[in-house]
Amino acid sequence: MGAKTTADLYQSNKISKQEACYLLTFSAFPSPSFLTGYLSFSILENQVPNHLLFFIFFLSAFLTSLFFRRIYSVSQQSVFTRTQKETSSSPFAELLDISIMNSLFSITKLGGYIILFSVFQGIVQFLLSSSSFFSVMLCGLTEFSTGLNALKDTALPFSLKFPLTMGFSSFGGLCVLAQTSCVLSGTDLPLFPYLIGRIVCTLIASGLTFLFVILF
C-alpha cells in the first residue's frame, strides 16, 4: 500500500519525483493485522509480544527514512511550498466507481503474482528438501508468507528463527518486489529506491532482532 499511495500522490502532482523516491525507501512494511494475526499468532505462536514486533518494524522503517533523507535531500519546505492543484469536482458516485474498479484491478494483479511465486516455491520444495536451510531461505526470499511457514516447520532454534522471520517479513520477497514494480508501471518512478530501501530496512530489522535475542 505504501508504494501504491506514493505512486498515486506522484501522479496527482502532490509530491515531486524526488520525494516519491524517498517515500519508496521506507513506506512499505507489514500491516498491523498481519503482525498481530499471521506473524505473531500463526508463525511465532505468541512467543513474542505484539508491541515488540511493532517496535522493531516501525523503528527499522524510521531509521531507514533517516538514512535516505540526506541521500534524497528532502526538506520540509519543499513539501509545503508546492502549489496545490485544484481538487476534482467529479460526483461522489463516479469517484466511488473509479475507486472500486482500481481496487479490483490492483487486487487481481497482485493476487496473480502471489499465485505465480507460490507455484515456484512448490517446485523448489519438490526438488529440494522442504526442511533444508537453502530451501527455506530461497522460499523466504521469493514469497515471504509461504517462506515463513517453511521456516516455522524447521528444527532451527528460536534464536535464529526469530531474526530470520523478521528479515523475511521486512524484505517481502521477490513477489512483493514484482507487485511493487506492477504498481509503479504507470509512472516513471524507478524500482531501485524501493529495492535498496527494503534491503537496508531488512538489515536493520534483523539486526535489532538479533540484539534483542542477545540481550534478553
Side-chain angles (χ1 to χ4, degrees), residues 100-143:
I100 292 175
M101 292 304 297
N102 286 339
S103 299
L104 291 175
F105 185 62
S106 298
I107 291 173
T108 302
K109 290 196 297 183
L110 300 186
Y113 281 110
I114 293 176
I115 294 173
L116 177 64
F117 280 90
S118 295
V119 171
F120 173 77
Q121 284 189 333
I123 297 174
V124 170
Q125 292 178 338
F126 176 77
L127 298 176
L128 303 173
S129 173
S130 60
S131 59
S132 68
F133 184 74
F134 177 75
S135 175
V136 170
M137 291 297 295
L138 189 58
C139 288
L141 293 176
T142 51
E143 205 288 303

Side-chain angles (χ1 to χ4, degrees), residues 29-50 52-54 56-57 144-145 147-149 151-152 158 161-170 205 209:
F29 48 86
S31 66
S33 59
F34 173 87
L35 294 180
T36 57
Y38 183 73
L39 192 63
S40 177
F41 180 75
S42 299
I43 302 300
L44 297 175
E45 299 178 332
N46 293 324
Q47 297 183 68
V48 179
N50 290 335
L52 178 61
L53 299 179
F54 280 95
I56 292 176
F57 277 113
F144 77 106
S145 59
L148 290 175
N149 271 320
L151 177 62
K152 175 186 175 183
F158 183 77
K161 279 186 179 181
F162 185 26
L164 286 176
T165 296
M166 300 299 282
F168 289 162
S169 301
S170 181
T209 309

Side-chain angles (χ1 to χ4, degrees), residues 64-78:
T64 301
S65 72
L66 294 181
F67 178 80
F68 285 101
R69 187 174 182 84
R70 288 186 175 275
I71 295 177
Y72 287 99
S73 302
V74 177
S75 63
Q76 286 185 333
Q77 185 178 5
S78 65

